[in-house]
């Protein structure tokens, strides 16, 4: 599920909600969400700042190095449409 709302010229607020189900491994099911803002520039350029998070189980989503892969993350990105 995704939603976008223009805030001002060249500015957009965006949200996402998703659900992952893993057959025969219900402990690996999780919900993820994102909230962000995007600014467009000139011909095809955009800059976005997004916050991503999940309710993923630490037991199911911690790798062999001990890193929890379901942690909250802030992502700054720049993109150019071709």
């Amino acid at each position: 599920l995704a939603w976008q709302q223009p805030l001002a010229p060249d500015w957009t607020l965006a949200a996402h909600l998703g659900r992952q189900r893993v057959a025969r491994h219900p402990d690996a099911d999780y919900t993820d969400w994102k909230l962000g803002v995007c600014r467009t520039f000139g011909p095809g350029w955009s800059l976005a700042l997004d916050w991503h998070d999940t309710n993923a189980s630490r037991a199911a989503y911690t790798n062999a190095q001990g890193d929890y892969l379901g942690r909250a993350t802030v992502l700054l990105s720049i993109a150019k449409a071709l």
Side-chain angles (χ1 to χ4, degrees):
L1 180 64
W3 171 82
Q4 292 185 342
Q5 176 66 44
L7 296 175
D10 301 323
W11 287 91
T12 304
L13 179 66
H16 157 89
L17 179 66
R19 180 78 178 146
Q20 175 70 42
R21 294 183 189 271
V22 181
R24 296 181 299 281
H25 298 283
D27 59 322
D29 294 353
Y30 66 89
T31 301
D32 66 275
W33 51 91
K34 175 184 88 167
L35 183 62
V37 64
C38 180
R39 168 81 160 93
T40 57
F41 298 91
W45 287 97
S46 64
L47 179 68
L49 181 64
D50 299 312
W51 171 67
H52 302 255
D53 203 356
T54 74
N55 67 348
S57 160
R58 285 190 180 273
Y61 289 95
T62 298
N63 67 16
Q65 291 77 35
D67 299 320
Y68 172 52
L69 305 177
R71 70 185 182 280
T73 303
V74 173
L75 177 67
L76 177 64
S77 62
I78 188 165
K80 170 71 169 129
L82 301 175

